[in-house]
């Protein structure tokens, strides 16, 4: 394939009548109970976590990019961190705005204590929905977590927010080869050297992409023209929010979910804002 030397720049902005807008509202509003992910639920004891269940988790991650473990109670922070250290290298949480929620420098306490907020960096601690994303999509591949580990300390009340999982394989299929290829030549315009929005890895299509909602996405590309690239990004969003392959984690105390960031987009449904409801609390590790 001959590559032209011209580099194309463009800006993507969602429009109110884009197909993904109502699909996103339907998926994340919190009014739908999504089907649980179709993977075996392993069991273990908090007292000997990670323990023997670790090998099963590893095999599940290799096979499907997802593992679920139900512990009798949440594991202590040391054991949770030790689990991340067996999986790889837990990333320090350096963002100054999240420091009140950081424990042992690598554990982030996702406590839904902020009601609804417009501050994007505080959204994980609020009851807003979180739009679909791959984690740290703007960083170099080597600085993106491979796994996100979530452990439930308190699910919240009856309408507790679900963590939403959408397999990248289904997104790639819905998007079609031509658009995947176009996005394999397109990346965020950023000094942080992000990878292309789509790439081939181990025979799979992997996306590095976040739905910025009303935020502008500036991109650079080496193929097509600006309108074609923007149409592909619009189609990508529609493919991400299309119903059919989405699953929702229904949290219970002691449940641990490990997500491979190269297999799944993730996000979160909106949670209840009712007064007096119990506050959802997950602990998170991001592992390189
Ligand atoms: O709170 C959740 O369910 C998911 C939060 C999330 O996307 C993250 O912490 O990376
Ligand atoms: Fe995330």
């Amino acid at each position: 394939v001959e590559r032209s030397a011209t580099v194309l720049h463009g800006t993507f902005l969602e429009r109110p009548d884009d197909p993904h807008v109502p699909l996103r509202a339907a998926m994340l509003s919190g009014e739908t109970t999504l089907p649980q992910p179709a993977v075996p639920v392993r069991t273990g004891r908090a007292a000997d976590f990670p323990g023997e269940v670790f090998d099963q988790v590893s095999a599940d991650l290799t096979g499907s990019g997802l593992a679920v473990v139900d512990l009798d109670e949440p594991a202590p922070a040391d054991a949770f961190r030790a689990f991340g250290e067996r999986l790889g290298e837990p990333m320090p949480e350096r963002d100054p705005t999240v420091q009140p929620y950081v424990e042992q420098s690598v554990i982030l306490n996702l406590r839904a204590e902020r009601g609804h907020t417009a501050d994007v960096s505080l959204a994980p601690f609020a009851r807003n929905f979180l739009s679909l994303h791959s984690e740290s999509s703007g960083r170099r591949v080597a600085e993106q977590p491979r796994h996100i580990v979530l452990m439930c300390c308190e699910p919240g009340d009856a309408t507790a927010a679900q963590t939403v999982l959408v397999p990248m394989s289904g997104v790639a299929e819905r998007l079609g080869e031509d658009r995947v290829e176009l996005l394999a030549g397109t990346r965020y315009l950023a000094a942080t050297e992000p990878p292309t929005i789509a790439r081939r890895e181990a025979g799979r299509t992997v996306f590095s992409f976040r739905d910025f909602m009303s935020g502008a996405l500036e991109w650079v590309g080496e193929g097509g023209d600006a309108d074609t690239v923007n149409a592909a990004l619009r189609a990508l969003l529609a493919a991400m929010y299309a119903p059919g392959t989405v699953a929702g984690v229904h949290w219970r105390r002691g449940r641990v979910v490990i997500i491979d960031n190269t297999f799944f987009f993730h996000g979160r449904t909106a949670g209840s804002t009712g007064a007096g409801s119990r506050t959802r609390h997950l602990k998170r590790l991001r592992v390189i």
Side-chain angles (χ1 to χ4, degrees), residues 12-32 34 128-133 164 166 209-215 233-234 236-243 246 266-270:
F12 176 81
L13 257 181
E14 79 173 24
R15 305 184 193 121
D17 61 348
D18 279 348
H20 72 274
V21 172
L23 295 172
R24 179 174 61 207
M27 186 184 285
L28 301 181
S29 66
E31 269 138 52
T32 333
L34 300 167
N128 308 51
F129 73 78
L130 287 181
S131 64
L132 289 176
H133 57 283
V164 176
V166 174
F209 185 71
R210 173 181 292 266
D211 168 14
F212 290 101
M213 301 202 284
S214 56
L233 290 169
R234 203 158 264 116
L236 170 60
L237 286 161
M240 287 162 68
Y241 288 108
V246 60
H266 68 280
R268 182 177 73 201
T269 64

Side-chain angles (χ1 to χ4, degrees), residues 13-277:
L13 257 181
E14 79 173 24
R15 305 184 193 121
D17 61 348
D18 279 348
H20 72 274
V21 172
L23 295 172
R24 179 174 61 207
M27 186 184 285
L28 301 181
S29 66
E31 269 138 52
T32 333
T33 302
L34 300 167
Q36 296 254 32
V39 293
V41 177
R42 311 299 184 186
T43 53
R45 281 168 34 83
D48 34 67
F49 191 67
E52 284 173 13
V53 79
F54 186 85
D55 293 336
Q56 276 179 325
V57 165
S58 289
D60 290 345
L61 287 174
T62 305
S64 66
L66 186 67
V68 180
V69 182
D70 277 352
L71 300 176
D72 53 338
E73 58 178 309
D78 286 344
F80 185 56
R81 201 193 65 217
F83 176 83
E85 285 166 352
R86 270 180 83 171
L87 211 52
E89 189 190 320
M91 282 169 65
E93 295 288 346
R94 293 211 171 92
D95 179 352
T97 51
V98 309
Q99 289 313 307
Y101 300 96
V102 176
E103 189 181 357
Q104 301 197 10
S105 79
V106 292
I107 298 173
L108 188 69
N109 284 288
L110 294 165
R111 277 204 194 83
E113 61 188 19
R114 292 199 176 240
H116 282 183
T117 175
D119 182 336
V120 176
S121 58
L122 290 174
F125 312 99
R127 293 172 184 185
N128 308 51
F129 73 78
L130 287 181
S131 64
L132 289 176
H133 57 283
S134 66
E135 199 66 28
S136 307
S137 64
R139 298 193 198 175
R140 290 168 45 211
V141 172
E143 288 166 9
Q144 293 185 10
R146 177 63 190 255
H147 294 106
I148 298 132
V149 188
L150 298 169
M151 179 173 72
C152 181
C153 300
E154 166 59 53
D157 62 8
T159 53
Q162 302 155 64
T163 299
V164 176
L165 300 168
V166 174
M168 291 179 179
S169 59
V171 173
E173 215 164 280
R174 291 189 285 275
L175 194 54
E177 266 173 44
D178 289 354
R179 288 185 182 123
V180 168
E181 195 171 322
L182 190 57
L183 296 180
T186 308
R187 61 187 87 228
Y188 297 178
L189 173 65
T192 47
E193 298 177 51
T196 52
I197 290 171
R199 65 184 193 276
R200 295 290 293 173
E201 208 177 283
R204 297 181 292 110
T205 300
V206 176
F207 294 97
S208 189
F209 185 71
R210 173 181 292 266
D211 168 14
F212 290 101
M213 301 202 284
S214 56
L217 162 56
E218 302 221 46
W219 52 262
V220 286
E222 52 189 39
D225 56 71
D227 286 346
T228 319
V229 172
N230 280 333
L233 290 169
R234 203 158 264 116
L236 170 60
L237 286 161
M240 287 162 68
Y241 288 108
T245 58
V246 60
V249 177
H250 307 174
W251 289 105
R252 42 177 280 183
R253 191 173 151 79
R255 177 161 287 177
V256 183
V257 171
I258 305 97
I259 305 163
D260 186 325
N261 198 35
T262 68
F263 275 72
F264 290 92
F265 286 107
H266 68 280
R268 182 177 73 201
T269 64
S272 158
T273 50
S277 57

